[in-house]
Amino acid sequence: CMSSEGTDNAHEDAHAGAATPVFVFIRALSCVALLVLISAVAFRTFVLTRIVGLARATRWHIGRTLASRAAVFAAVYVFAALVRLYLQNRMMSGDAATDVAHLRAMSMGTDWGVAWRIQFTAGAAALVSLLVTRLRASLGWYAMSGGAGLLALGTTLGSHDRGAPVPAGT
């Protein structure tokens, strides 16, 4: 049987942990948005530009529609990054009020913060790039290609496996 002190600690750990439903949902939402963004770049680069016999106007229209829909997922990715920053702060500081100094220290002075900044910046750049495609399609897609690579890099740097110790002898 668990004492009331053990129950309180278990509740506190569950409330603040990375395995809470909201934290898992936000990470899953980030992953879905990331996959859609990378898939949009891959489709535009490797499929749409190589279809033989497709009228230029049709190709342009498909690319513009693709960019518009992908921009929604870029906005979702940026939103999810902001929510992850808030949740990470809550996980690290418990029920204490959100403190700007703590948020700054966490996002600027930790390995997690470096990865988060890359993800957030790349997500914002992806959103801007996709909006630029409405004015100048090729420039926006070139920028988006780089942004997708940075999104993948930031996600890799922020993964739990990256922080895991390497067993001796490997």
Side-chain angles (χ1 to χ4, degrees), residues 11 16-18 25 37 39 41 46 55 72 74 111 113 123 131 147 150-151 166 170:
H11 175 69
F25 174 75
L37 292 170
S39 297
V41 169
F46 300 113
V72 171
D111 288 344
L131 295 175
L150 283 175
L151 284 168
V166 178
T170 57

Side-chain angles (χ1 to χ4, degrees), residues 12 23 34 36 40 58 62 79-80 98 102 109-110 113 123 125 131 140 146 150 158 160 166:
E12 197 172 299
F23 218 127
L34 174 66
V36 168
T58 303
I62 292 170
F79 171 76
T98 300
H102 186 264
T110 65
L131 295 175
L150 283 175
H160 291 288
V166 178

Side-chain angles (χ1 to χ4, degrees), residues 10-28 83-84 86-92 112 158-160:
H11 175 69
E12 197 172 299
D13 291 343
H15 175 68
T20 59
V22 69
F23 218 127
V24 170
F25 174 75
I26 290 299
R27 283 196 316 264
V83 172
R84 277 184 311 163
Y86 171 76
L87 291 173
Q88 185 77 11
N89 181 62
R90 288 290 307 253
M91 187 171 66
M92 300 308 288
W112 182 90
S159 71
H160 291 288

Side-chain angles (χ1 to χ4, degrees), residues 48-112:
L48 187 59
T49 59
R50 297 168 191 237
I51 298 174
V52 178
L54 187 63
R56 185 177 183 157
T58 303
R59 186 184 321 268
W60 178 85
H61 178 70
I62 292 170
R64 187 175 170 144
T65 302
L66 179 64
S68 295
R69 293 184 180 162
V72 171
F73 285 91
V76 166
Y77 189 88
V78 169
F79 171 76
L82 291 171
V83 172
R84 277 184 311 163
L85 177 64
Y86 171 76
L87 291 173
Q88 185 77 11
N89 181 62
R90 288 290 307 253
M91 187 171 66
M92 300 308 288
S93 63
D95 286 332
T98 300
D99 179 7
V100 174
H102 186 264
L103 280 172
R104 183 177 297 132
M106 186 177 61
S107 64
M108 300 302 265
T110 65
D111 288 344
W112 182 90

